[in-house]
Amino acid sequence: ALMVLLSAAGFATLAIFIKLAYAAGANTLTILTLRFTLASLMLWAILKPMGLSPRMDKKTLFQLFLMGALGYGSMSLLFTLTVQYLPASLAEILLFTYPAIVSILSFILGEDQFSWLKGGALAACLAGLIFILGLSFEGINPLGLATGLGGAMIYSIYILVGNRVLKKAHSLVATTYVCSSAAAIFLLSSLVSGSLILTLPLNGWLSIIGIALFATIVGILAFFMGLTRVGAANTSIISTAEPVITFILSFIILLDHLTGCHLV
């Protein structure tokens, strides 16, 4: 549970660093490309000193490639599209329907047992998200709803697949391959589109390094370590701490406004 909370804290820094990177002149594809490229390079550099071999069977390797390329890649793309079509608060809440989706699929697949405690936790998490993020139904776009729920579904499948794949791979090795495959997809996309920007100021590079280190390596690695110990349903429920931590960091670092509703 502590690993999952650490993961949520790592992922929670993503929005903060992204805002700083955008302010420094980076675009979306540049941020995603450098995020996963730098993270994968850091991870490959520490595998050997830690005595870990990257060797694994072809089936597991292929599954990890799909988790990174299709799981993270597709989810990131769909969430970005959702933010374009819907209010940010609604887009975030649509994404965080994934704990409920993961829990339901886990119950159906027999990987977890339903309990009223977990059901109550899911309801409390959703209510908390609405208080923290707010909920606006203005300007609802059907395409935005589809991309938002689609991203949540893909992330849910990613978690369930990861719960099985990680039984056959070390968490650090798995994180390395997931980041590397995501880096390959985004690097190819940015080169083909000509969107990669490398002439960023120092604060831009520091923001992207923060994304790679905290929001990627710490986030994914701690998530995988927690997932193998507490299961998919519990992991997804605990992970809803992420937007709460993001809001706290926004208040402290970006001086965002704090209201009585947020405190409740």
Side-chain angles (χ1 to χ4, degrees):
L2 289 174
M3 285 294 100
V4 179
L5 282 174
L6 176 61
S7 167
F11 285 134
T13 66
L14 180 60
I16 309 299
F17 284 126
I18 283 179
K19 287 181 71 71
L20 296 175
Y22 275 135
N27 57 39
T28 300
L29 271 180
T30 295
I31 291 172
L32 291 171
T33 300
L34 295 179
R35 170 191 182 185
F36 289 106
T37 299
L38 291 176
S40 59
L41 290 174
M42 293 178 196
L43 288 165
W44 281 108
I46 64 175
L47 280 183
K48 188 173 181 180
M50 294 191 66
L52 295 173
S53 172
R55 295 180 179 274
M56 62 179 61
D57 62 272
K58 293 181 179 179
K59 181 180 179 181
T60 304
L61 185 60
F62 181 66
Q63 290 172 328
L64 289 172
F65 174 80
L66 291 180
M67 285 177 63
L70 295 183
Y72 254 88
S74 299
M75 187 271 286
S76 299
L77 175 61
L78 289 174
F79 181 72
T80 302
L81 291 173
T82 304
V83 173
Q84 291 181 354
Y85 296 130
L86 298 176
S89 60
L90 182 55
E92 190 79 8
I93 288 174
L94 286 174
L95 175 62
F96 273 87
T97 59
Y98 82 82
I101 298 173
V102 169
S103 298
I104 292 171
L105 291 177
S106 295
F107 302 149
I108 293 174
L109 295 174
E111 295 187 359
D112 208 337
Q113 297 295 318
F114 174 80
S115 69
W116 288 109
L117 182 61
K118 289 182 180 178
L122 284 170
C125 288
L126 180 58
L129 287 173
I130 293 173
F131 273 112
I132 284 290
L133 300 172
L135 184 60
S136 173
F137 290 99
E138 296 180 2
I140 289 182
N141 183 304
L143 182 57
L145 287 174
T147 56
L149 292 174
M153 179 61 73
I154 289 175
Y155 195 48
S156 299
I157 296 173
Y158 166 87
I159 293 172
L160 291 170
V161 171
N163 191 36
R164 296 184 177 185
V165 174
L166 289 172
K167 295 175 181 178
K168 300 176 288 183
H170 190 280
S171 297
L172 186 58
V173 177
T175 304
T176 302
Y177 279 113
V178 166
C179 288
S180 298
S181 57
I185 293 298
F186 286 120
L187 180 59
L188 179 62
S189 299
S190 62
L191 290 176
V192 169
S193 64
S195 302
L196 187 61
I197 301 174
L198 298 178
T199 56
L200 295 172
L202 178 61
N203 59 325
W205 279 105
L206 290 176
S207 299
I208 290 176
I209 290 172
I211 292 173
L213 183 59
F214 297 107
T216 308
I217 295 178
V218 173
I220 297 177
L221 178 59
F223 184 89
F224 283 169
M225 293 175 68
L227 181 62
T228 58
R229 289 166 171 80
V230 300
N234 289 332
T235 296
S236 61
I237 293 173
I238 298 170
S239 292
T240 56
E242 178 187 332
V244 179
I245 299 173
T246 297
F247 183 83
I248 294 172
L249 291 176
S250 297
F251 173 69
I252 296 174
I253 299 173
L254 302 178
L255 303 179
D256 283 353
H257 186 57
L258 181 65
T259 69
C261 183
H262 294 138
L263 290 173
V264 172

